[in-house]
Amino acid sequence: SFVRVTRIGGSVLSIGQSRVRVLVECWGGTDAAAWALCATAWDAVWDSDEVPEIRPGVEVMDADLEEPVNFPDPASGSARYQFLASLVVNLKE
């Protein structure tokens, strides 16, 4: 089981603020395991605007999430759920 977070786009809002689009993919050995991992990842992204910094110099101001979908991995046949998120982030020096 594992989670992969990939930046898939975004836009500049100001000199120090961006809207970042990410794809969160959650694989598991079973459908239930992939769903449980997705629920954990969803909670972490949902609450990311309550954490002082998600990485040094990166602060999430707002998080908008789309509903998770069942999207089995065609290459491996593994169970996978995924969702999209749009994060407004402040970039600090």
Side-chain angles (χ1 to χ4, degrees), residues 30-45:
T30 65
D31 206 49
W35 175 253
L37 194 55
C38 184
T40 299
W42 172 277
D43 287 344
V45 176

Side-chain angles (χ1 to χ4, degrees), residues 3-23:
V3 175
R4 178 172 66 185
V5 179
T6 307
R7 182 176 179 160
I8 58 170
S11 58
V12 175
L13 299 175
S14 69
I15 190 74
Q17 195 173 63
S18 294
R19 180 175 306 280
V20 178
R21 296 272 298 156
V22 296
L23 170 63

Side-chain angles (χ1 to χ4, degrees), residues 4-78:
R4 178 172 66 185
V5 179
T6 307
R7 182 176 179 160
I8 58 170
S11 58
V12 175
L13 299 175
S14 69
I15 190 74
Q17 195 173 63
S18 294
R19 180 175 306 280
V20 178
R21 296 272 298 156
V22 296
L23 170 63
V24 180
E25 299 170 279
C26 306
W27 280 266
T30 65
D31 206 49
W35 175 253
L37 194 55
C38 184
T40 299
W42 172 277
D43 287 344
V45 176
W46 182 265
D47 291 337
S48 63
D49 60 345
E50 297 177 13
V51 176
E53 293 182 328
I54 59 169
R55 295 196 43 93
V58 180
E59 176 184 21
V60 176
M61 302 305 296
D62 187 44
D64 292 319
L65 286 71
E66 294 186 19
E67 294 284 328
V69 295
N70 184 357
F71 198 70
D73 185 351
S76 68
S78 295

